[in-house]
Amino acid sequence: YRLNRRHALANSPLSVRLGVMRRIHKMEEGTAKEVAARQIELFETERLKTVRTELSEAIQQNDHARLSLLCSELSSKDWVKAPDPILIKNAVRALRQENARRSKLRMIELAALLQNTWSAHDVAGGRRVRDEWVNCQKHAQLNDDDPLMVETQAAFQWLQEIDDEDLGKQKYEGLLAQLRDGLDQRKAKEVLMPIEYALNGFEQGMPDALRHRLNTWYDELDTEAHRKYVRRLIVACLAVIGTAAVAVFVLRERGIREAIAGH
């Protein structure tokens, strides 16, 4: 309350006084809260009149900071009586247009910087310019046939090709690491063969030392598989022989029993 009286005596701006009055309104209860709400509505009505004037001046002066403040104020949920939606829409559109204008000016500067980085083959600098360009383009929303977009297309294509090369190198190195880990962990052929096929699809191919190591491991796996096959075959043969022996024994015993029974 003391702060409210001080601002009233000092004839502070309405936006400041409204902030204090809204704090009081949140603290009040019952009838006092209703009275505070009616007072705020009167002040808000006067404030909206000045907002319209300030908005018009900010648009004429291309005052980005004031437009941002006005949009924030109009979009606030603290209003007892919400501002006219058309007024809010106009403020937001004006801010968006100002952002687009400022972004396009910055993009003109970035286009020159991009050409310099392209000429100097400064990939890191070009990527920084591209990141800022993308942020500006979100506000500017230039068409593909805009002169700025056409002018920078070749430079951005150069950056994209380098990005693709780097991505290919990263993928290649990642596959090599997977293959080495698989060999270290003595993985099965079914795990290693897809990695091998993926590496063969790259122009570099597989390093000779790694291919020799892989082929050696394949030979070991084939040898072990052959040994397992032979062992299984021997076990199967022994099982057949054992079964035949049991059958012969059973038949022989049956014949002996039948002979005894006949006597």
Side-chain angles (χ1 to χ4, degrees), residues 32-75:
K33 193 176 187 69
E34 296 177 2
V35 173
R38 288 196 295 270
Q39 291 178 349
I40 290 175
E41 285 189 27
L42 294 175
F43 275 77
E44 285 180 347
T45 302
E46 293 300 319
R47 175 57 187 155
L48 287 175
K49 294 178 182 178
T50 58
V51 164
R52 297 178 188 277
T53 304
E54 292 179 11
L55 179 61
S56 178
E57 293 176 354
I59 294 174
Q60 293 177 359
Q61 299 172 5
N62 295 324
D63 192 337
H64 181 268
R66 186 184 290 185
L67 285 172
S68 299
L69 291 175
L70 290 173
C71 284
S72 298
E73 182 180 355
L74 290 172
S75 303

Side-chain angles (χ1 to χ4, degrees), residues 77-253:
K77 296 181 180 180
D78 294 333
W79 293 82
V80 174
K81 184 178 180 181
D84 184 1
I86 297 178
L87 178 61
I88 299 176
K89 184 178 179 180
N90 291 339
V92 172
R93 182 173 62 248
L95 180 61
R96 189 182 297 117
Q97 292 174 349
E98 178 59 19
N99 283 332
R101 187 189 70 83
R102 291 163 61 91
S103 296
K104 186 171 183 179
L105 292 176
R106 179 54 182 164
M107 290 172 75
I108 295 174
E109 299 174 357
L110 291 174
L113 292 175
L114 183 63
Q115 295 297 330
N116 293 337
T117 57
W118 186 17
S119 301
H121 201 75
D122 182 4
V123 178
R127 285 171 175 165
R128 287 193 297 270
V129 171
R130 181 177 59 186
D131 292 340
E132 188 175 353
W133 178 280
V134 171
N135 291 330
C136 290
Q137 173 63 358
K138 291 179 181 178
H139 298 292
Q141 293 295 319
L142 300 181
N143 297 324
D144 293 337
D145 56 353
D146 188 275
L148 271 177
M149 302 296 289
V150 175
E151 178 185 349
T152 55
Q153 184 177 4
F156 283 133
Q157 181 64 32
W158 161 71
L159 282 175
Q160 186 60 48
E161 291 174 357
I162 293 177
D163 289 345
D164 294 340
E165 292 177 4
D166 291 346
L167 184 61
K169 291 178 182 178
Q170 292 176 5
K171 186 176 180 181
Y172 179 73
E173 294 296 332
L175 289 172
L176 289 179
Q178 290 181 28
L179 186 57
R180 292 191 183 99
D181 291 341
L183 290 172
D184 292 339
Q185 299 173 16
R186 304 178 71 82
K187 292 291 184 67
K189 224 176 190 182
E190 293 76 10
V191 177
L192 299 176
M193 288 183 68
I195 304 176
E196 177 190 5
Y197 293 151
L199 283 171
N200 291 333
F202 286 87
E203 184 178 356
Q204 305 95 314
M206 190 185 304
D208 295 337
L210 189 59
R211 183 173 293 280
H212 175 72
R213 184 182 173 190
L214 179 64
N215 291 334
T216 302
W217 175 237
Y218 281 169
D219 293 339
E220 293 180 11
L221 288 175
D222 291 340
T223 302
E224 182 62 24
H226 179 69
R227 289 174 180 172
K228 289 181 179 179
Y229 172 75
V230 172
R231 286 196 293 268
R232 287 196 298 268
L233 183 62
I234 293 173
V235 171
C237 291
L238 291 176
V240 171
I241 293 173
T243 303
V246 170
V248 170
F249 177 78
V250 171
L251 291 175
R252 183 174 176 275
E253 289 296 319

